[in-house]
Amino acid sequence: MISGVTTAKSPRPLFQWPLGDTSGLSEVLSRGPSLRKSGNHCFEFGDNVKSLPYQAMKIESETTPYLSGFLNEPKSFRDLVISLFVKPAGVPRGTLLQYQADSAEKIRIVFNPFDGSAVISFRDEYDIPAGIVVADGIAVADTWSHVVVQRAYKTGRISVFANGEKLVDEDDGFQDEITLPGVGQLWVGNTDPSTSEEGQQFTGFVSCLQIFTEVLSQADIRAAQGFCLPDQWNLDYQGDRFFLYIKKGGMRALQHINICFIIMFNTQVPRFLPSGKEEF
């Protein structure tokens, strides 16, 4: 499925969360809202899309009903793009992703339990609706899909892609140049557990969640998938923080690290700094 090649001009993700068993410590999953039990936690994994050389993380109610991380971008988002690989167990249902700021929902991707279509909604920094679209076919039962949702700041257009094909391209119907908060909490596989309602549980596999801050073309989408590959990463440790560099070149892959034995310091989703360095 990953057919593009990253270049120096390829848009880089501001945040990336590999969500796999080979991650170079970039899962940032331990002690905190990502866990249902105290202490270390062994997550369940399964076969990923063939083009990714690591296993994908499983989400289900009995073991890992949700994953959670924090975004810490000091500036509000203008253009915003969310990219991830998803494989539902059966007909897709429940909430695939929710983003909150100040305890208020800002973004949500939720599946219709009857036909598997996705409802994608946005709310601005003042909790005013900023667009909603319905996308059919972004995820298929027991099948891997690469899903990309993007909202353009200048025009307010919302576009949705599945496996590189544009399925939705609509004006949000609201005023243009609406920003979204850059600091907030991301939930994957369910809504905020403290407010979750019945029927919001997603069941299936997810991998390589990315957030970009510039609108992507179809060619960009293909190329950006290349950042999901471990041979693009390089790990370093400084003081009390881990850093993940995206390589400009080179082929050395990260050592395979089992997340069951990782203890991290926080639950921030890794952020790619302008220098290409990723900070947790």
Side-chain angles (χ1 to χ4, degrees), residues 55-69:
Q55 291 193 308
M57 190 167 288
K58 185 177 183 180
I59 298 178
E60 63 176 358
S61 60
E62 297 299 319
T63 56
T64 305
Y66 61 86
L67 303 169
S68 176

Side-chain angles (χ1 to χ4, degrees), residues 111 115-120 133-139 160-161 167-168 170:
F111 292 110
D115 62 10
S117 62
V119 179
I120 303 163
V133 298
V134 176
D136 292 319
I138 70 167
V160 182
F161 298 80
L167 303 180
V168 173
E170 298 181 8

Side-chain angles (χ1 to χ4, degrees), residues 21-274:
D21 64 336
T22 303
S23 62
L25 302 181
S26 58
E27 300 298 356
V28 205
L29 293 177
S30 185
R31 303 186 184 279
S34 300
L35 300 186
R36 300 294 292 178
K37 300 177 182 178
S38 60
N40 295 331
H41 183 82
C42 288
F43 295 87
E44 289 195 33
F45 299 93
D47 291 340
N48 209 331
V49 59
K50 291 182 179 179
S51 47
L52 291 181
Y54 47 86
Q55 291 193 308
M57 190 167 288
K58 185 177 183 180
I59 298 178
E60 63 176 358
S61 60
E62 297 299 319
T63 56
T64 305
Y66 61 86
L67 303 169
S68 176
F70 296 100
L71 304 188
N72 61 342
E73 171 59 23
K75 296 181 180 179
S76 296
F77 293 124
R78 293 190 171 195
D79 293 332
L80 183 64
V81 181
I82 299 171
S83 167
L84 77 162
F85 289 89
V86 58
K87 178 184 176 181
V91 176
R93 62 186 65 218
T95 293
L96 176 62
L97 180 143
Q98 183 190 49
Y99 178 54
Q100 292 183 320
D102 296 325
S103 300
E105 180 175 287
K106 302 303 178 185
I107 304 172
R108 189 170 177 183
I109 304 174
V110 60
F111 292 110
N112 183 322
F114 299 104
D115 62 10
S117 62
V119 179
I120 303 163
S121 58
F122 297 83
R123 302 182 77 89
D124 71 8
E125 294 182 291
Y126 305 101
D127 206 29
I128 298 173
I132 183 170
V133 298
V134 176
D136 292 319
I138 70 167
V140 180
D142 305 308
T143 303
W144 277 107
S145 297
H146 177 224
V147 177
V148 175
V149 175
Q150 56 186 12
R151 186 181 184 281
Y153 171 73
K154 284 291 186 181
T155 64
R157 296 197 72 84
I158 297 172
S159 52
V160 182
F161 298 80
N163 301 324
E165 179 184 356
K166 184 182 290 187
L167 303 180
V168 173
D169 184 11
E170 298 181 8
D171 189 283
D172 60 13
F174 295 84
Q175 70 181 57
D176 298 336
E177 300 188 355
I178 292 177
T179 60
L180 298 167
V183 177
Q185 188 157 10
L186 195 66
W187 304 94
V188 180
N190 210 323
T191 55
D192 179 350
S194 66
T195 59
S196 183
E197 300 175 353
E198 184 178 356
Q200 295 308 310
Q201 178 68 61
F202 169 82
T203 302
F205 293 90
V206 292
S207 194
C208 198
L209 170 63
Q210 299 171 310
I211 295 178
F212 297 82
T213 52
E214 57 183 297
V215 172
L216 306 182
S217 67
Q218 288 176 289
D220 291 336
I221 288 172
R222 290 192 296 271
Q225 297 173 43
F227 292 117
C228 295
L229 298 174
D231 63 13
Q232 295 285 323
W233 311 338
N234 196 7
L235 187 66
D236 191 15
Y237 176 76
Q238 298 178 10
D240 62 351
R241 294 187 178 185
F242 288 97
F243 295 90
L244 188 69
Y245 296 84
I246 288 187
K247 294 183 177 182
K248 301 282 174 83
M251 297 301 294
R252 184 174 65 83
L254 289 173
Q255 179 182 359
H256 286 213
I257 303 173
N258 190 332
I259 195 167
C260 294
F261 302 101
I262 294 174
I263 299 177
M264 297 305 297
F265 297 102
N266 56 40
T267 54
Q268 288 184 337
V269 177
R271 175 178 183 268
F272 290 122
L273 304 179

